[in-house]
Amino acid sequence: MTDMNPLASAVIPPDLQQQAHDWLLRLQGAPVTQADADAFRRWRPLDPRHARAVALARALWNALGPALQAGPAAAPTPTAAASLPLPAPAAH
């Protein structure tokens, strides 16, 4: 059986994964400035793997969210970052 999830087959280097997580952390903090949002919107299209890395980071945050919120100190969720649209996948 093949995996039909395109994100699962995407190879994202660790440095890009870290950048995506850093962006989500930065954008979920308060207050998010217009400059932050603009910088993120410029960063995403620089490499098609950026959008995939952000999608994977969001998926991880969403998967961990319930567990983190059930703990003694609830972690914030990336709501600001989640509201920024991802670019359409690049055609290959």
mmCIF file of all heavy atoms in Angstrom, residues 51 85-91:
data_model
loop_
_atom_site.group_PDB
_atom_site.id
_atom_site.type_symbol
_atom_site.label_atom_id
_atom_site.label_comp_id
_atom_site.label_asym_id
_atom_site.label_seq_id
_atom_site.Cartn_x
_atom_site.Cartn_y
_atom_site.Cartn_z
ATOM 1 N N ALA A 51 6.914 25.779 2.599
ATOM 2 C CA ALA A 51 5.487 25.558 2.841
ATOM 3 C C ALA A 51 5.244 24.168 3.414
ATOM 4 O O ALA A 51 4.427 24.000 4.321
ATOM 5 C CB ALA A 51 4.690 25.763 1.551
ATOM 6 N N PRO A 85 -2.285 32.048 5.276
ATOM 7 C CA PRO A 85 -2.488 31.012 4.262
ATOM 8 C C PRO A 85 -1.161 30.459 3.739
ATOM 9 O O PRO A 85 -0.193 31.189 3.607
ATOM 10 C CB PRO A 85 -3.255 31.745 3.155
ATOM 11 C CG PRO A 85 -2.850 33.169 3.318
ATOM 12 C CD PRO A 85 -2.623 33.374 4.801
ATOM 13 N N LEU A 86 -1.167 29.173 3.444
ATOM 14 C CA LEU A 86 -0.023 28.552 2.796
ATOM 15 C C LEU A 86 -0.133 28.782 1.296
ATOM 16 O O LEU A 86 -1.234 28.829 0.753
ATOM 17 C CB LEU A 86 -0.012 27.043 3.066
ATOM 18 C CG LEU A 86 0.384 26.625 4.459
ATOM 19 C CD1 LEU A 86 0.224 25.118 4.604
ATOM 20 C CD2 LEU A 86 1.803 27.006 4.768
ATOM 21 N N PRO A 87 0.991 28.919 0.607
ATOM 22 C CA PRO A 87 0.920 29.055 -0.846
ATOM 23 C C PRO A 87 0.486 27.750 -1.489
ATOM 24 O O PRO A 87 0.629 26.682 -0.892
ATOM 25 C CB PRO A 87 2.370 29.407 -1.229
ATOM 26 C CG PRO A 87 3.195 28.841 -0.132
ATOM 27 C CD PRO A 87 2.344 28.915 1.109
ATOM 28 N N ALA A 88 -0.019 27.851 -2.686
ATOM 29 C CA ALA A 88 -0.412 26.653 -3.425
ATOM 30 C C ALA A 88 0.841 25.836 -3.727
ATOM 31 O O ALA A 88 1.911 26.401 -3.934
ATOM 32 C CB ALA A 88 -1.118 27.048 -4.710
ATOM 33 N N PRO A 89 0.715 24.519 -3.734
ATOM 34 C CA PRO A 89 1.885 23.680 -4.059
ATOM 35 C C PRO A 89 2.412 24.013 -5.456
ATOM 36 O O PRO A 89 1.643 24.287 -6.372
ATOM 37 C CB PRO A 89 1.338 22.254 -4.023
ATOM 38 C CG PRO A 89 0.049 22.336 -3.280
ATOM 39 C CD PRO A 89 -0.464 23.733 -3.451
ATOM 40 N N ALA A 90 3.728 23.992 -5.583
ATOM 41 C CA ALA A 90 4.357 24.269 -6.864
ATOM 42 C C ALA A 90 4.158 23.088 -7.799
ATOM 43 O O ALA A 90 4.231 21.946 -7.396
ATOM 44 C CB ALA A 90 5.844 24.534 -6.664
ATOM 45 N N ALA A 91 3.906 23.377 -9.043
ATOM 46 C CA ALA A 91 3.751 22.322 -10.047
ATOM 47 C C ALA A 91 5.132 21.844 -10.472
ATOM 48 O O ALA A 91 6.039 22.633 -10.660
ATOM 49 C CB ALA A 91 2.992 22.857 -11.253
#
